[in-house]
């Protein structure tokens, strides 16, 4: 199935200037977070005049239900991935359209018709796929350029992962038009490694950065919209989930753990890209050893069991070899000689 969630996506230096026109007199409710909202308010002070709900930080059913949309024609979500997931959930349940103003270039939540939902205790509950109407994603360069660089850097890694994970599941090309389109877009995401995405470049916000931001926010999300099950997550995300069980990894961003997972995944398939991926991750400052993630050799058996468990559920093209997986983790414990 081919599925897209967004009617219009606009990334420009003045994208927010057209918000009023888009609202067109409708009754608005705003869901906002903390830091990014301030950046939007500086550009558009009148945004503060609308009824507003402050996001509490986690996408749960209760959080979505808390947004009072009784007299609302359109919901405006201003924030990061979890906030956008919550807004989508609320908009679908109450059957109203959504406008998204991302404040971080770190994820493709604004471009996917699904929400990752957590329980009240913070543990993962489920992900819902639904028909959501996102009228426009407004990416204002003035907001993104002032956002924290680390989120962008980690978002790029997660977007580059689309290429490797899609290829792991479906190969280089497919006779299914949707899957093939997903693979082509994913390949384009993989090319982000060729660009200068340093913090200095990010702050200068030139062509390469704009290209990368569009891939993190939009094209990365479209990969799954076209490829569906053929281009979803694979071993790298299973490794991410396994790592997340260890408290020491909580200090790392999602993309950092996915990047390490990519090294594991590509080593498993004996890919010629392992070395270049490794150098790229080091260059962007992402962890490439278990030690850097705060894990020791003693943690490897639990990691292996967790990855095997998760990838069994994923129904990969071939089951993983747990002995080989263990050797790969051992090799990635510390990197001394290369
Ligand atoms: Zn991810």
């Amino acid at each position: 199935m081919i599925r897209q969630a967004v009617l219009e996506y606009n990334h420009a230096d003045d994208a927010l200037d057209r918000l009023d026109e888009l609202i067109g007199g409708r009754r608005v409710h705003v869901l906002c977070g903390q830091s990014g909202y301030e950046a939007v308010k500086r550009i558009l002070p009148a945004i503060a005049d609308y009824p507003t709900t402050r996001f509490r930080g986690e996408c749960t059913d209760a959080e979505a239900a808390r947004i009072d949309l009784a007299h609302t024609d359109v919901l405006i979500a201003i924030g990061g991935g979890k906030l956008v997931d919550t807004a989508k959930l609320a908009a679908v349940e109450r059957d109203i359209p959504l406008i998204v103003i991302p404040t971080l270039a770190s994820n493709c939540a604004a471009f996917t018709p699904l929400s990752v939902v957590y329980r009240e205790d913070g543990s993962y509950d489920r992900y819902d796929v639904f028909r959501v109407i996102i009228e426009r994603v407004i990416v204002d360069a003035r907001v993104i350029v002032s956002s924290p660089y680390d989120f962008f850097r980690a978002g790029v890694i997660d977007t580059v992962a689309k290429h490797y994970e899609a290829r792991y599941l479906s190969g280089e090309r497919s006779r299914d038009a949707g899957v093939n389109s997903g693979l082509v877009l994913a390949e384009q995401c993989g090319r982000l490694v060729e660009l200068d995405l340093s913090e200095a470049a990010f702050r200068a916000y030139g062509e390469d950065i704009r290209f990368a931001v569009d891939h993190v926010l939009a094209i990365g999300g479209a990969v799954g919209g076209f490829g569906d099950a053929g281009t979803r997550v694979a071993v790298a995300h299973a490794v991410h989930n396994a790592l997340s069980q260890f408290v020491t990894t909580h200090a790392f961003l999602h993309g950092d753990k996915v990047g390490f997972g990519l090294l594991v995944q590509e080593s498993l398939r004996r890919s010629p890209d392992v070395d270049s991926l490794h150098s790229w991750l080091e260059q962007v400052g992402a962890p490439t050893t278990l030690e850097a993630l705060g894990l020791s050799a003693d943690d490897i058996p639990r990691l292996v069991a967790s990855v095997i468990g998760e990838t069994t559920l994923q129904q990969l093209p071939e089951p993983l070899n747990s002995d080989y997986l263990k050797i790969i983790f051992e090799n990635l414990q510390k990197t001394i000689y290369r």
Side-chain angles (χ1 to χ4, degrees):
M1 166 133 64
I2 296 173
R3 201 189 270 126
Q4 303 291 332
V6 176
L7 300 179
E8 297 177 335
Y9 169 93
N10 182 30
H11 178 191
D13 290 338
D14 58 354
L16 272 172
D17 298 355
R18 290 184 285 282
L19 181 62
D20 273 349
E21 193 186 311
L22 181 63
I23 292 169
R26 290 178 293 174
R27 294 170 300 174
V28 168
H29 192 97
V30 172
L31 176 67
C32 72
Q34 298 292 340
S35 50
Y37 179 57
E38 295 305 318
V40 172
K41 246 186 355 192
R42 275 194 297 277
I43 298 163
L44 213 68
I47 196 88
D49 299 338
Y50 293 118
T52 300
T53 300
R54 281 270 175 186
F55 183 54
R56 290 186 180 154
E58 216 51 91
C59 177
T60 63
D61 287 314
E63 186 67 357
R66 196 170 65 84
I67 309 167
D68 180 8
L69 299 175
H71 305 287
T72 304
D73 302 316
V74 59
L75 174 62
I76 301 182
I78 306 175
K82 288 183 173 189
L83 181 147
V84 173
D85 275 5
T86 309
K88 285 188 284 187
L89 205 56
V92 167
E93 278 167 6
R94 258 60 72 73
D95 204 15
I96 59 169
L98 181 63
I99 295 169
V100 178
I101 305 172
T103 56
L104 297 170
S106 68
N107 60 79
C108 57
F111 228 79
T112 51
L114 62 89
S115 292
V116 182
V117 185
Y118 292 83
R119 298 192 190 91
E120 287 307 311
D121 64 6
S123 64
Y124 170 81
D125 182 10
R126 64 183 199 276
Y127 73 89
D128 287 347
V129 179
F130 37 55
R131 278 190 287 169
V132 57
I133 298 173
I134 300 176
E135 290 189 354
R136 188 178 295 174
V137 178
I138 300 174
V139 186
D140 194 299
R142 295 167 290 185
V143 174
I144 302 298
V145 75
S146 63
S147 68
Y149 172 71
D150 277 348
F151 284 89
F152 168 67
R153 185 187 60 83
V156 168
I157 299 172
D158 201 29
T159 305
V160 165
K162 307 263 179 195
H163 167 55
Y164 292 99
E165 294 195 291
R167 187 176 72 173
Y168 187 94
L169 295 171
S170 298
E172 301 285 344
R173 287 290 175 265
S174 168
R175 293 300 294 163
D176 178 293
V179 173
N180 199 56
S181 302
L183 287 169
V184 170
L185 293 179
E187 194 177 2
Q188 208 171 287
C189 292
R191 292 256 172 82
L192 296 183
V193 301
E194 296 163 10
L195 305 178
D196 174 9
L197 304 177
S198 62
E199 181 158 14
F202 181 66
R203 297 300 172 206
Y205 218 78
E207 260 183 3
D208 282 1
I209 296 296
R210 287 166 198 265
F211 187 83
V213 166
D214 286 338
H215 280 75
V216 173
L217 290 173
I219 308 299
V223 168
F226 280 106
D228 206 4
T231 56
R232 62 183 158 76
V233 296
V235 180
H237 274 77
V239 172
H240 162 277
N241 295 348
L243 290 171
S244 298
Q245 296 171 11
F246 294 86
V247 179
T248 58
T249 70
H250 292 179
F252 291 87
L253 293 169
H254 173 85
D256 282 332
K257 287 177 264 189
V258 171
F260 180 81
L262 273 185
L263 289 178
V264 175
Q265 175 185 299
E266 293 304 297
S267 301
L268 270 171
R269 61 189 292 272
R270 297 180 165 85
S271 156
D273 299 335
V274 174
D275 284 345
S276 60
L277 253 179
H278 193 279
S279 318
W280 180 69
L281 289 169
E282 283 193 330
Q283 188 196 322
V284 299
T288 57
T289 64
L290 284 178
E291 193 182 35
L293 288 158
L295 272 66
S296 75
D298 296 343
D299 298 320
I300 292 176
R302 194 175 145 200
L303 273 177
V304 171
S306 169
V307 173
I308 295 290
E310 183 130 351
T311 51
T312 305
L313 293 175
Q314 281 178 333
Q315 296 180 311
L316 297 176
E318 268 181 58
L320 301 188
N321 176 331
S322 63
D323 293 335
Y324 189 40
L325 182 60
K326 181 164 169 281
I327 292 168
I328 289 167
F329 275 124
E330 285 165 357
N331 289 339
L332 288 169
Q333 213 265 308
K334 292 182 186 182
T335 307
I336 300 163
Y337 308 108
R338 287 196 58 79

